[in-house]
Amino acid sequence: MINLINLTLGYKSRILLADAETRFPKASLTSLIGRNGTGKSTLLRAIAGLNSGYTGTIKLDGRDIRTLHPGEIARRLAFVSTQRTRIPSMRCVDAVAMGRAPYTNWIGRMQKEDEEIVMRSLADVGMEAFALRTLDTMSDGECQRVMIARALAQDTPVILLDEPTSFLDMPSRYDLVRLLGRLAHEQGKCILFSTHELDIATEMCDAVALIDTPRLIHLPAHEFLAAGHLSLIFNT
């Protein structure tokens, strides 16, 4: 689903990744970890087509993202950022409906099929009963599930999330990652998310990708632990 080929990525004058080569397959949940400032968000934004400050190639489903129109990227990839959405009076169902934007007609009018996809996406994350609730009346965990539902409504094979467990209590963090795993395995999606929760990253995901500047180490979770790579997080 996602291929990084000879990828060198930087921020201003600093090199964050050099000559990174890896592949994130479909039906997989991968955690992206690393110390603060190593470029986790920068890498996610590059994969999402929001950051062109790199050399090498990023492919989505075999296509170089540099050759894709924004509308084509929106049909292949959904991105859930760290921003907390708290728009007063916006209902959950309307927030999720925004995910259908790449498919609606020129005036943005949804058809019956779009409405069904929106409600199914809410149901997939256990939020169908909250459809008419407004975002400003909901908890962080509930709002995060709504944002994931919006990504599901976008109906893409790839979902990227930047620190989705931030600001959630411990039970909600585990619930959210279990949900992401279920969506990856049952719906065949390639899901990549950044996190500082090392127990979640290594125990609940299929694979772990570590940015140890300027290297990217990407292995199945059990191999990652067995190789002792987790200690790199604590090295100074």
Side-chain angles (χ1 to χ4, degrees):
M1 286 283 102
I2 303 172
N3 283 62
L4 309 183
I5 304 169
N6 197 30
L7 181 70
T8 295
L9 180 70
Y11 179 74
K12 295 184 178 179
S13 61
R14 184 184 176 203
I15 297 297
L16 301 172
L17 283 177
D19 301 321
E21 297 259 355
T22 197
R23 177 177 178 271
F24 302 101
K26 65 179 181 179
S28 66
L29 177 65
T30 303
S31 58
L32 177 63
I33 62 175
R35 295 167 65 95
N36 284 338
T38 53
K40 297 185 296 296
S41 297
T42 304
L43 175 58
L44 290 176
R45 291 180 63 82
I47 295 172
L50 301 174
N51 173 17
S52 60
Y54 65 88
T55 60
T57 304
I58 300 173
K59 289 187 176 182
L60 292 179
D61 201 18
R63 295 280 304 277
D64 187 334
I65 64 168
R66 292 188 189 274
T67 69
L68 296 175
H69 184 274
E72 293 179 294
I73 294 177
R75 289 178 174 84
R76 287 174 165 81
L77 181 148
F79 181 50
V80 181
S81 72
T82 54
Q83 182 178 0
R84 294 294 178 264
T85 303
R86 282 287 191 277
I87 302 175
S89 302
M90 174 172 275
R91 302 179 306 172
C92 293
V93 66
D94 298 322
V96 176
M98 295 172 64
R100 297 304 299 163
Y103 308 99
T104 54
N105 57 30
W106 66 276
I107 59 174
R109 178 173 296 167
M110 294 206 305
Q111 307 301 315
K112 182 178 180 181
E113 179 183 2
D114 297 303
E115 294 172 353
E116 291 173 349
I117 290 173
V118 167
M119 294 308 299
R120 184 166 65 246
S121 298
L122 280 167
D124 283 341
V125 300
M127 295 297 290
E128 66 272 32
F130 292 73
L132 302 182
R133 286 267 302 274
T134 57
L135 295 174
D136 55 331
T137 66
M138 300 171 64
S139 70
D140 283 336
E142 290 166 344
C143 281
Q144 193 70 320
R145 282 177 175 262
V146 171
M147 293 302 103
I148 293 172
R150 183 179 69 179
L152 290 179
Q154 200 171 324
D155 195 22
T156 60
V158 176
I159 299 178
L160 307 179
L161 306 98
D162 196 3
E163 303 217 23
T165 59
S166 295
F167 309 114
L168 302 183
D169 59 29
M170 189 60 70
S172 297
R173 293 175 187 178
Y174 282 93
D175 286 345
L176 181 58
V177 178
R178 275 192 290 267
L179 168 65
L180 294 177
R182 178 169 60 82
L183 295 173
H185 302 146
E186 293 181 3
Q187 298 189 18
K189 295 182 180 294
C190 170
I191 300 181
L192 173 64
F193 73 100
S194 62
T195 183
H196 288 287
E197 312 291 337
L198 299 183
D199 56 338
I200 285 175
T202 56
E203 296 174 14
M204 301 183 68
C205 298
D206 301 306
V208 179
L210 166 66
I211 298 179
D212 179 39
T213 303
R215 298 185 299 165
L216 178 66
I217 301 169
H218 178 211
L219 291 169
H222 66 281
E223 292 183 23
F224 183 89
L225 286 173
H229 290 311
L230 196 60
S231 65
L232 296 171
I233 292 284
F234 305 101
N235 288 344
T236 59

